[in-house]
Amino acid sequence: MTKRVSCADVQAWMNDFMDGVLNADQAVTLTEHLHACQTCRREWEALEATQNLLRAARVPDGQSSRVSVLARFRQRVADTTLERAPVRRHSGRRSVAAPLGLATAAAALGLAGLLFLLQPALVPPASPPTDAWPSHGEVNRLLTLHAIHSADISADTPELHRFVLADASSSAEGESEEGGL
Amino acid sequence: MKWTPFHKSRTDTSEHAWRETYEAQIVQCWEALWRYAYRMTGNRDDAEDLLSEALVEGFRSFSQFRGDTRFVSWMYRIMTTTRIDMVRRARRRQAESLDAALSAGSGEEVKTREIADTGSDPVALLIEPMLSEEVQDALNALPEEFRAVVILADIEQMDYADVSRVLDVPVGTVRSRLHRGRALLRRSLAQYVER
Ligand SMILES: [Zn+2]
């Protein structure tokens, strides 16, 4: 027999039922009530129909916008980089940066080795060195590439993934700070 | 201080590699980003504006992306905050030039509408161009925060926890916004969903 429940209760449960987070007891009460009460059944059907309309609605093709959006993005990046680019350092000041560079170079080499071991096929070819020491950017680029590539393997080896990431980034930061002092 | 691509001195090669990597990620999830942008804004021009702005914002903090969420979810979040900022800025401008707007009439309403891409589904070809427009109008009528939740939960079908992470609001807030958003949509689409 149908449990005593108010229409207001049933309607308050409908969203949770729709999302599959209403407990089984209440779900059964709701279903039974829907059989017995036309008002609530209509309300439920309207909610379902709204959901279906939302999911069926299409958006215009976005591929044609891709090129122009990326072009605008590149322009903005180029403008900002030009605006903010600091004056190039004199070579004489290299000595200040050298210990830092040495540390980050070591970190980068270590990380590159890890990358190579983990996913040899995905390691991009190293660009020819333009400077004696790899820049922060270079180290960060490796870190990001590593993060992106290991996203693919994380499902299989989440512990390894997390360990490698944490290890690589903490050692890079740690050494940078030491080098800076 | 966190490192960001824009603010520190780096070689051109490195800057290029960063941008290339970032763009590759963007291109991979372009369709999802586009759908979200279009549904948040309701027309192509504003969707492109939103994406251009959000792409720049995303690139600024790309070095902080650790891969602990999917890249596309990370971008949804940036697009949502960017959109809310853009709307606030636009409202401020609107308020500042209220006199001008009043004398010029409502130009805001006249946005180019496009026929939605209905693919090759014959039923969709018959009924959807009209209905997609009605649905988009109903979505446009929702407050931004509600719209974001409805799009992510009901259209992209993410669960509460994922939406909560993307929008950085508690799960309870996601749930209540979703329920209220659905109720508003159900009412504005009443003539199509009531028998
Ligand atoms: Zn009832």
Side-chain angles (χ1 to χ4, degrees), chain B residues 132-173:
Chain B
S132 293
E133 199 171 306
E134 302 301 335
V135 169
Q136 188 61 57
D137 284 343
L139 276 172
N140 290 352
L142 295 180
E144 303 291 324
E145 288 86 352
F146 286 41
R147 196 185 314 149
V149 171
V150 168
I151 295 171
L152 294 174
D154 277 352
I155 303 179
E156 300 301 327
Q157 301 186 40
M158 293 169 70
D159 63 30
Y160 295 171
D162 285 342
V163 178
S164 143
R165 272 192 291 274
V166 166
L167 301 178
D168 200 21
V169 294
V171 169
T173 308

Side-chain angles (χ1 to χ4, degrees), chain A residues 7 33 37 40:
Chain A
C7 291
H33 183 88
C37 172
C40 285

Side-chain angles (χ1 to χ4, degrees), chain A:
Chain A
M1 207 41 231
T2 307
K3 271 187 214 165
R4 282 242 163 265
V5 62
S6 72
C7 291
D9 277 344
V10 166
Q11 289 180 20
W13 293 345
M14 283 180 183
N15 279 291
D16 283 342
F17 186 58
M18 181 165 262
D19 293 329
V21 294
L22 190 68
N23 71 56
D25 236 25
Q26 289 172 321
V28 171
T29 310
L30 179 141
T31 320
E32 281 183 339
H33 183 88
L34 290 187
H35 283 304
C37 172
Q38 200 190 35
T39 314
C40 285
R41 192 165 62 244
R42 288 234 165 108
E43 191 51 37
W44 170 251
E45 282 168 359
L47 214 62
E48 273 193 315
T50 308
Q51 192 86 339
N52 291 336
L53 268 187
L54 268 183
R55 288 184 185 160
R58 313 284 183 97
V59 300
D61 174 63
Q63 287 305 320
S64 57
S65 288
R66 201 181 85 183
V67 177
S68 61
V69 166
L70 280 176
R72 281 168 69 181
F73 161 71
R74 280 177 203 152
Q75 189 57 52
R76 283 279 302 277
V77 171
D79 292 350
T80 317
T81 308
L82 281 177
E83 269 169 36
R84 302 193 190 215
V87 182
R88 232 188 133 68
R89 272 189 200 144
H90 298 295
S91 54
R93 292 184 61 189
R94 173 68 55 68
S95 56
V96 181
L100 187 77
L102 190 59
T104 51
L109 282 172
L111 185 63
L114 278 172
L115 275 167
F116 190 78
L117 282 173
L118 285 169
Q119 290 208 312
L122 284 175
V123 176
S127 48
T130 52
D131 217 338
W133 313 107
S135 64
H136 285 280
E138 198 64 22
V139 175
N140 273 290
R141 187 180 69 85
L142 278 169
L143 276 170
T144 305
L145 280 172
H146 171 66
I148 291 163
H149 291 153
S150 37
D152 294 331
I153 58 165
S154 60
D156 299 318
T157 54
E159 287 77 21
L160 177 68
H161 165 60
R162 246 176 258 122
F163 168 76
V164 169
L165 249 192
D167 191 50
S169 52
S170 67
S171 69
E173 278 162 23
E175 287 176 46
S176 297
E177 276 165 20
E178 275 174 38
L181 295 170

